[in-house]
Amino acid sequence: MSAKQLDGAQLAILANRMAASENVVKPPSDGEADNHHSPSIVHIIGTGLTPTLLSLPLSTLHLLSQADVVLYDSLGLSHDDICRVVPKHCDVICVGKRGDSQKSWKQSEIDNLILQMAMMGTKQQPQQQSSKPTTILRLKGGDPFLYGRARTEIDTLKSNRIPYTYTPAISSCIAGPHLGGIPLTDPTL
């Protein structure tokens, strides 16, 4: 069955299966009894080279549809695109770095904001009887590990025992040559 033939219910089932198969990284215990339970999970997601809703994987769209907080870069999806997918209660915050005269976030401020959001606890949603863990998405343009400073964000999460997932994406370092018709591993060169 091609993607064009899938209806909304089938897409939702597929997205749920993809989200359920994600590997959640739980920071290792230091040998002591771990009584700390994080009320949140943070998903660090690369949006790739062409950050449009149509270019995102279904698993990312599914996570966006479940998000309580989205922290996004200026180079990633636009605020309007993100708001088309997230629930109405979701906080959408631009934390991008800028090269012009507009205010830019320092990496330490972003790390602290991620930690603050993750430590806030469970969030009671309207129309729900019980609370659920806070789902935080950190959307980064390109690939989070190439010029994306994801390491400091992950170090912050690890040191505070907050579970996270990481979803890589294609970076311009790889996609640029490919889009220009230049193979990076041509055996004849």
Side-chain angles (χ1 to χ4, degrees), residues 69-185:
V69 178
V70 175
L71 306 173
Y72 71 98
D73 283 347
S74 300
L75 297 175
L77 294 169
S78 72
H79 186 271
D80 290 344
D81 279 346
I82 294 168
C83 288
R84 286 186 185 123
V85 181
V86 298
K88 291 182 181 178
H89 72 269
C90 183
D91 295 321
V92 180
I93 304 166
C94 180
V95 293
K97 293 180 177 42
R98 309 271 316 177
D100 55 18
S101 61
Q102 295 183 10
K103 181 190 180 316
S104 285
W105 286 72
K106 294 178 182 168
Q107 188 60 46
S108 60
E109 295 171 330
I110 296 169
D111 296 345
N112 288 335
L113 181 61
I114 292 170
L115 180 60
Q116 177 187 357
M117 293 294 182
M119 299 303 285
M120 280 177 33
T122 56
K123 195 170 190 177
Q124 185 71 34
Q125 304 306 327
Q127 305 149 342
Q128 284 187 333
Q129 297 293 331
S130 63
S131 57
K132 68 176 185 80
T134 302
T135 300
I136 301 165
L137 271 62
R138 174 65 171 106
L139 297 179
K140 300 173 81 62
D143 184 87
F145 278 130
L146 293 173
Y147 306 112
R149 298 187 176 100
R151 185 195 53 79
T152 65
E153 295 169 10
I154 289 173
D155 287 349
T156 298
L157 297 170
K158 282 182 177 179
S159 66
N160 289 279
R161 296 188 174 155
I162 296 168
Y164 66 92
T165 67
Y166 167 71
T167 304
I170 299 294
S171 168
S172 60
C173 332
I174 301 295
H178 285 259
L179 292 172
I182 303 167
L184 296 177
T185 58

Side-chain angles (χ1 to χ4, degrees), residues 32-50:
E32 298 175 12
D34 189 357
N35 296 327
H36 175 77
H37 172 70
S38 172
S40 306
I41 183 165
V42 178
H43 302 277
I44 300 172
I45 300 172
T47 59
L49 187 62
T50 55

